[in-house]
Amino acid sequence: EQTFSDNLVSVTVSYSMDLDNEISFEVVDEGYKMFDSNYFVIRRDLIYRGRRYEIAEISCQPGPGGAPSVVVNARNKSIQQMRRDKRPGSVTGSSGYEYAGNAARKFGLQFVGQQSAKTKSTFKARTSDGEESVYDVLRRIANDNQFVIFEVDGVLVYAQQEWLLWKFG
């Protein structure tokens, strides 16, 4: 009997400073057994090296011997939840630092951040119909303050690049 690891063709891990850390793996599904067992379902949880991911994208193409070759892209579960949360008042804060810290706590991440000089009374979705997600608001306020925001190993980082270099070198 074959296992998932017997059919694994490749695994790629991508870290970047745009909030979207991603693992991508390719498997050959001989006899469509994994498809039949619902292995490849969007939003399904995966654990890779102790970190929780969620399937975000799936693509399929012909593989060897007529079996499909499936490529699965999975992203950090907390970040995926931020992308889906489009309720304007779900996270609040009187500054970008506070908003990012509150978002990190709400979605189960630790937080490392730098206070910014800019403050506002509230940070929330710009559109009245709630089309901007918590993820979008975080990216916008980081950009407005010329900060970077990203997730690494379960920690949401919100700071200027120069501050990060001096802090963590």
Side-chain angles (χ1 to χ4, degrees):
E1 173 148 330
Q2 289 190 325
T3 64
F4 182 85
S5 60
D6 293 333
N7 295 336
L8 191 61
V9 175
S10 67
V11 175
T12 306
V13 180
S14 170
Y15 285 105
S16 67
M17 288 181 63
D18 65 359
L19 279 178
D20 289 333
N21 300 330
E22 183 176 87
I23 59 171
S24 178
F25 60 90
E26 181 180 357
V27 295
V28 175
D29 187 10
E30 294 176 5
Y32 294 86
K33 293 176 187 169
M34 288 182 261
F35 271 113
D36 290 343
S37 298
N38 293 323
Y39 274 46
F40 312 117
V41 177
I42 299 288
R43 294 190 185 178
R44 183 181 180 139
D45 287 359
L46 302 173
I47 295 178
Y48 180 75
R49 296 198 175 179
R51 304 275 178 237
R52 186 170 296 281
Y53 291 86
E54 180 178 284
I55 294 177
E57 296 176 33
I58 300 165
S59 62
C60 188
Q61 59 196 21
S69 175
V70 182
V71 176
V72 176
N73 295 329
R75 297 190 187 110
N76 178 283
K77 184 171 180 68
S78 297
I79 300 301
Q80 289 298 96
Q81 289 172 329
M82 284 183 194
R83 285 173 173 254
R84 286 193 298 272
D85 188 345
K86 295 189 179 191
R87 295 170 291 147
S90 70
V91 176
T92 59
S94 60
S95 67
Y97 172 84
E98 190 176 304
Y99 185 91
N102 290 341
R105 279 185 287 286
K106 178 179 180 183
F107 293 100
L109 299 170
Q110 295 176 11
F111 179 68
V112 170
Q114 175 188 10
Q115 298 269 1
S116 64
K118 292 183 181 180
T119 60
K120 285 186 177 180
S121 57
T122 58
F123 286 95
K124 58 183 174 183
R126 280 186 173 161
T127 54
S128 60
D129 59 358
E131 284 299 311
E132 197 174 39
S133 68
V134 170
Y135 174 90
D136 296 330
V137 174
L138 282 171
R139 294 199 45 139
R140 179 171 46 85
I141 62 176
N143 192 39
D144 289 350
N145 287 310
Q146 296 180 338
F147 279 33
V148 292
I149 187 158
F150 59 94
E151 180 274 334
V152 61
D153 294 337
V155 178
L156 186 68
V157 178
Y158 172 80
Q160 290 179 321
Q161 290 182 15
E162 182 179 324
W163 182 84
L164 288 170
L165 286 173
W166 285 106
K167 185 87 171 164
F168 299 102

